[in-house]
Amino acid sequence: MKRKCMILILITSLLLVSCSNYKELNSVSIVVAMGVDYIPKDNQYNMVLQIINPSAIASVTGSIGTPVIALEQKGRTISEAARNITKSVSRSNIYSHVALVVIGEKLAKEKTLNYIFDVFERDSKIRVNIPVVIARNDSVYHVMNNLPALDKLPAKSMVGKIKNTSSLLGENQEIQMRQVISALSSSGREPVINGAILEHETKTSETLDNFSTVKSSYNKIEGLGVIKKGRLVGWLDGGPAKSVQIIDNVIKETNLQIKCSKDEYDSMELTRVKTDTKVKMKGKIPIIHIKVKSIAIIDEVLCNDNFDKANTLKKYEVLSEKAIKQTLDEGIKKAQGYGADIFGFGDKLHLSDPKVFKKYEKNWNDQFQKAKVKIDVDVQINNVGMRKKAYPF
C-alpha cells in the first residue's frame, strides 16, 4: 500500500510540474527579419528588427494595421543595439523565426564581416541556415520594410524572390549565412552575397497604400556582392554573376541570347548544366580547366532560320558554346580584377592536392590573379519547341 501511494505521489508530481522557462504567446514578439548597418560618424551599429503584427495578419475579418512593425536602435556593438530595442517594445523578442538578415552596404565595405557574423553564429537563439543579402545603394531600413503587394510579410517576399530567380535566371543563388561563414573561414574561397534594391520608392512604400496602386514599389534581387578578406569590394551583374552559379554547379536552368542578325537575337533555354573543374599548379601559376556540358532548348526565334536542318542546329550549338565561354571568361576576369577567388578554385586544389595548396594558401588570392584558365563547352540542342520553322518575316 505504501509503495502504491509513493507511485501515486510521483505521478501526481510529474503532472503538476510545468516548464519553468515557457512564455505565453501574448507576451512575446516574433522577429522575422533583422538588418544591420554601420554609422561612421557615430562609430556605431544600427539594428533594424522587423516584427510580426499579430492583429494585422489574422485570417478573420477585421484585421487592422500593417503586417509588420519595424524598430531600430543604435549601439557600440550589434548586441547592444539589439538590447537597446527593448526600450521600444513591450514584449520580449523571439529570434528563432528570423527568415532573413540584411547587411548594409556601408557596413559590408567599411567593417569586416568576419566579426559581424560572429554574433549570429555565437548566439544559439539565431539560426545560420537563413538567407543573407546586402542592401545595395540604399539603407537597410528601406530595403527591408517595403510592404509587398503579393506577400504580407516583406521577409517572405524577398526570400521567395531569391528562390525564384535562382531557379529560373541563374544570376543568383540561395546564399545562406552558414555558407558565407564557411567561405569567410576558408583560405581557398571568398564569399559572394546577393544584393537587394528598392525599385519605384514612394512615400507610401512602407504603408498599406502601396497595395492600392498598379505601379507599387518593390524590393528586387540585384547582383552578387564580391567579398574579399571580409569586406565588400565590388559587384557582379548579368553574365559575370551567372558564371559563379555555373562553376558552382547550382544552375537549375537559365537563358542565353544568341545574336542571329545585326539587331536581333534568338533565345535558348539551358537545362542540365553540369560543370567539372580541375585545378593544378604549373610552377607558381594555377592552371584551371573548366568543362561545361548542357542541354539546350530553342524557346524564342526572331530570325528566319529553319531549325528543321541539322546545320542550323549545329550553328546555334556553336554560337551558344561561345556565349557560355564568354560569360565564364568575363566572370573570372572580373573576379581576378577584384583579387577574390569567389569560385572556390583554391578549395578544389586543396581537395586534389593538399600539400601543394599548403604552399600557397596564405596568399591564394594573389595566385588566383595570375591563373590561366581553359574553358571547354559542349551544348546539345534537343528541342526546338512546338515549331521547327519560324514564321515568315
Side-chain angles (χ1 to χ4, degrees), residues 149 200 202 204-205 207-217:
H200 306 305
T202 65
T204 61
S205 295
T207 70
L208 293 175
D209 290 339
N210 196 42
F211 298 168
S212 61
T213 176
V214 173
K215 194 175 182 180
S216 59
S217 63

Side-chain angles (χ1 to χ4, degrees), residues 260-274:
C260 55
S261 69
K262 184 179 179 181
D263 301 313
E264 299 291 351
Y265 290 82
D266 286 347
S267 176
M268 297 178 64
E269 176 189 334
L270 296 181
T271 61
R272 294 186 235 170
V273 183
K274 299 297 179 185

Side-chain angles (χ1 to χ4, degrees), residues 108-150:
K109 285 181 176 178
E110 298 190 20
K111 289 287 184 177
T112 174
L113 297 181
N114 297 53
Y115 301 115
I116 303 306
F117 285 115
D118 177 87
V119 67
F120 294 103
E121 191 176 29
R122 194 178 295 274
D123 193 338
S124 61
K125 296 188 292 294
I126 302 173
R127 296 173 294 120
V128 294
N129 61 336
I130 54 177
V132 56
V133 300
I134 294 175
R136 185 175 180 181
N137 299 324
D138 207 339
S139 74
V140 168
Y141 190 95
H142 287 162
V143 171
M144 278 180 64
N145 295 310
N146 172 76
L147 292 183
L150 293 179

Side-chain angles (χ1 to χ4, degrees), residues 219-238:
N219 46 40
K220 174 184 174 184
I221 306 304
E222 186 82 349
L224 284 177
V226 178
I227 310 298
K228 180 182 179 183
K229 295 182 179 179
R231 287 183 172 85
L232 177 68
V233 294
W235 292 92
L236 297 181
D237 293 286

